[in-house]
Coordinates of all heavy atoms in Angstrom, one line a residue:
R1 N 92.1 87.7 92.7 CA 91.7 86.8 91.7 C 90.9 85.7 92.3 O 91.4 84.7 92.9 CB 93.0 86.2 91.0 CG 93.7 87.3 90.2 CD 94.9 86.6 89.5 NE 94.6 85.5 88.7 CZ 95.5 84.6 88.3 NH1 96.7 84.7 88.6 NH2 95.1 83.6 87.5
L2 N 89.6 85.7 92.1 CA 88.7 84.7 92.7 C 88.3 83.7 91.6 O 87.8 84.1 90.5 CB 87.4 85.4 93.3 CG 86.3 84.5 93.8 CD1 86.8 83.6 94.9 CD2 85.1 85.3 94.2
M3 N 88.5 82.4 91.9 CA 88.2 81.4 90.9 C 86.8 80.9 91.2 O 86.4 80.5 92.3 CB 89.2 80.2 91.1 CG 90.6 80.6 91.1 SD 91.1 81.5 89.6 CE 92.8 82.0 90.0
K4 N 85.9 81.0 90.1 CA 84.5 80.6 90.2 C 84.2 79.4 89.4 O 83.0 78.9 89.6 CB 83.7 81.8 89.8 CG 83.8 83.0 90.7 CD 82.9 84.1 90.2 CE 83.1 85.4 91.1 NZ 82.2 86.5 90.7
E5 N 85.1 78.9 88.6 CA 84.8 77.7 87.8 C 86.0 76.7 87.8 O 87.1 77.1 88.1 CB 84.5 78.2 86.4 CG 83.2 79.1 86.3 CD 82.9 79.5 84.8 OE1 83.8 79.2 84.0 OE2 81.9 80.2 84.6
G6 N 85.7 75.5 87.4 CA 86.7 74.5 87.2 C 87.3 74.0 88.5 O 86.7 74.1 89.6
R7 N 88.4 73.4 88.4 CA 89.1 72.8 89.5 C 89.5 73.8 90.6 O 89.6 73.5 91.8 CB 90.3 72.0 89.1 CG 90.0 70.8 88.2 CD 91.3 70.2 87.6 NE 92.1 69.7 88.7 CZ 93.4 69.3 88.6 NH1 93.9 69.3 87.3 NH2 94.1 68.9 89.6
M8 N 89.7 75.0 90.2 CA 90.1 76.1 91.2 C 88.9 76.8 91.8 O 89.1 77.7 92.6 CB 91.0 77.1 90.4 CG 92.3 76.5 89.9 SD 93.4 76.0 91.2 CE 94.0 77.6 91.8
K9 N 87.8 76.3 91.6 CA 86.6 77.0 92.2 C 86.6 76.9 93.7 O 87.0 75.9 94.3 CB 85.3 76.2 91.7 CG 84.0 76.9 92.1 CD 82.8 76.1 91.6 CE 81.5 76.8 92.0 NZ 80.3 76.1 91.4
G10 N 86.3 78.1 94.3 CA 86.3 78.2 95.8 C 87.7 78.6 96.3 O 88.0 78.4 97.5
Q11 N 88.6 79.0 95.4 CA 89.9 79.5 95.8 C 90.2 80.9 95.2 O 89.5 81.3 94.3 CB 90.9 78.5 95.2 CG 90.7 77.0 95.7 CD 91.7 76.1 95.0 OE1 92.9 76.3 95.0 NE2 91.1 75.0 94.4
A12 N 91.2 81.5 95.9 CA 91.5 82.9 95.4 C 93.0 83.2 95.7 O 93.6 82.6 96.6 CB 90.6 83.9 96.2
F13 N 93.5 84.1 94.9 CA 94.8 84.6 95.1 C 94.7 86.1 95.3 O 94.0 86.8 94.6 CB 95.7 84.3 93.9 CG 96.1 82.9 93.7 CD1 95.3 82.1 92.9 CD2 97.2 82.3 94.4 CE1 95.6 80.7 92.7 CE2 97.4 81.0 94.2 CZ 96.7 80.2 93.4
I14 N 95.4 86.6 96.4 CA 95.3 88.0 96.7 C 96.7 88.6 96.9 O 97.5 88.1 97.6 CB 94.5 88.2 98.1 CG1 93.1 87.6 97.9 CG2 94.4 89.6 98.5 CD1 92.3 87.5 99.2
G15 N 96.9 89.6 96.1 CA 98.2 90.3 96.1 C 98.1 91.5 97.1 O 97.2 92.3 97.0
L16 N 99.0 91.6 98.0 CA 99.1 92.6 99.0 C 100.4 93.5 98.8 O 101.3 93.0 98.2 CB 99.0 92.0 100.4 CG 97.6 91.4 100.8 CD1 97.7 90.6 102.1 CD2 96.5 92.5 100.9
P17 N 100.4 94.7 99.4 CA 101.5 95.6 99.1 C 102.9 95.0 99.5 O 103.9 95.4 98.9 CB 101.2 96.8 100.0 CG 99.7 96.7 100.2 CD 99.4 95.3 100.2
N18 N 103.0 94.3 100.6 CA 104.3 93.8 101.0 C 104.1 92.5 101.8 O 103.0 92.1 102.2 CB 105.0 94.8 101.8 CG 104.1 95.4 102.9 OD1 103.7 94.7 103.8 ND2 103.9 96.7 102.8
E19 N 105.2 91.9 102.1 CA 105.2 90.6 102.9 C 104.7 90.8 104.3 O 104.0 89.9 104.8 CB 106.7 90.1 103.0 CG 106.8 88.7 103.6 CD 108.3 88.2 103.5 OE1 108.8 88.1 102.4 OE2 108.8 87.9 104.6
K20 N 104.9 91.9 104.9 CA 104.4 92.2 106.3 C 102.9 92.2 106.3 O 102.3 91.6 107.2 CB 105.0 93.5 106.8 CG 104.6 93.9 108.2 CD 105.2 95.2 108.6 CE 104.8 95.6 110.1 NZ 105.3 96.9 110.5
A21 N 102.3 92.9 105.3 CA 100.8 92.9 105.2 C 100.3 91.6 105.0 O 99.2 91.2 105.6 CB 100.4 93.9 104.1
A22 N 100.9 90.8 104.1 CA 100.5 89.4 103.8 C 100.6 88.5 105.1 O 99.6 87.7 105.3 CB 101.3 88.8 102.7
A23 N 101.6 88.7 105.8 CA 101.8 87.9 107.1 C 100.7 88.2 108.1 O 100.2 87.3 108.7 CB 103.2 88.1 107.6
K24 N 100.4 89.5 108.2 CA 99.4 89.9 109.1 C 98.0 89.4 108.7 O 97.2 89.0 109.5 CB 99.3 91.5 109.2 CG 98.4 92.0 110.3 CD 98.5 93.5 110.4 CE 97.6 94.0 111.5 NZ 97.6 95.5 111.7
A25 N 97.7 89.5 107.4 CA 96.5 89.0 106.8 C 96.3 87.5 107.1 O 95.2 87.0 107.5 CB 96.4 89.3 105.3

């Protein structure tokens, strides 16, 4: 989820398969 407008512009939320993958990322 990439934010392109408003106050959240330049930010993103990325869902990964599990906590281990997120920690490595």
